[in-house]
Amino acid sequence: MAIRVMLVDDQALLRTGFRMVLAAQPDMEVVAEAGDGAEAIDRLRSTAVDVVLMDVRMPRLDGVEATRRICAGPNAPKVLILTTFDLDEYAFSGLKAGASGFMLKDVPPAELLSAIRSVHSGDAVVAPSTTRRLLDRFSPLLPSAGKEPRDPALERLTEREREVMLLVAQGLSNGEIAAKLVLSEATVKTHVGRILTKLSLRDRVQVVVLAYESGLVRAGGGTGY
């Protein structure tokens, strides 16, 4: 069954470009389009969608608030935030709102297609290092920024799980974490899964967000331990 994609952007030309790229793929289908967040939410009431490509700055309802409302619903589709470098702070807000990741609008077609497939299969949609660069730049804007008590849920983690969480937040892949901690990649994957379960998080993108918000990781890659 083809991956059902919705395109949400107030620029019709961009939607046309994305639609042409996706239409050429045998495993993807653009089933809906919207020019703003409000229209996207309305379309989702009558259209089954697997992945939403969501712009951030749009009239009526922006992509961040639309993402928050979509992800709060039952059986919500995955959301990929579309951003440009000068709108990275909106991308961060989108991640907090429940998006599975973010892409740059000028992303090469192959990377866009790979990201959509990854999201559909339940994986993270951006490299952790990419997420780290975004959060390194904007973590000083976080309300917490290490000034408030850490999330008590973090106390549920074992010492090893905390080690793994910090490395995830610093941008290391499972393979890199395995090498650093002298573990098998399968063991690291197990630890990441337990971290997600214990902290009630959806994916490793949310792990990074929580680590920055709680002050465990600081701008520049330092740790709060």
Side-chain angles (χ1 to χ4, degrees), residues 44-67:
L44 284 171
R45 294 191 180 102
S46 59
T47 306
V49 174
D50 299 311
V51 179
V52 178
L53 296 184
M54 180 76 74
D55 188 19
V56 285
R57 181 172 285 182
M58 297 180 292
R60 291 208 297 167
L61 188 69
D62 66 39
V64 174
E65 181 58 28
T67 296

Side-chain angles (χ1 to χ4, degrees), residues 12 26 29 31 44 48 82 86 94 151 169 172 185 193 213:
E29 178 185 6
V31 296
L44 284 171
L82 296 173
D86 61 336
D151 189 327
L172 276 67
E185 195 164 341
E213 285 192 311

Side-chain angles (χ1 to χ4, degrees), residues 67 81 90-102 126 131 134-135 202 205-206 209:
T67 296
I81 293 291
Y90 292 97
F92 174 75
S93 297
L95 295 179
K96 289 186 63 179
S100 297
F102 66 94
V126 292
T131 305
L134 178 135
L135 294 177
R202 184 186 60 249
V205 173
Q206 290 194 334
V209 171

Side-chain angles (χ1 to χ4, degrees), residues 3 5-9 18 22 28 50-56 63 67 70-71 77-83 91 94-95 98-105 107 111-120 123-126 202-203 205:
I3 301 172
V5 180
M6 172 186 276
L7 305 176
V8 185
D9 197 298
F18 284 131
L22 271 57
M28 294 184 191
D50 299 311
V51 179
V52 178
L53 296 184
M54 180 76 74
D55 188 19
V56 285
T67 296
I70 290 171
C71 293
K78 302 290 187 179
V79 177
L80 277 178
I81 293 291
L82 296 173
T83 184
L95 295 179
S100 297
F102 66 94
M103 305 285 297
L104 296 177
K105 282 191 175 182
V107 63
E111 291 185 22
L112 174 65
L113 297 172
S114 177
I116 292 172
R117 294 185 179 105
S118 294
V119 166
H120 185 250
D123 293 334
V125 301
V126 292
R202 184 186 60 249
D203 54 37
V205 173

Side-chain angles (χ1 to χ4, degrees), residues 34 36-43 45 58-62 66 69:
D36 59 59
E39 185 181 359
I41 291 173
D42 185 59
R43 292 288 177 85
R45 294 191 180 102
M58 297 180 292
R60 291 208 297 167
L61 188 69
D62 66 39
R69 297 184 190 181

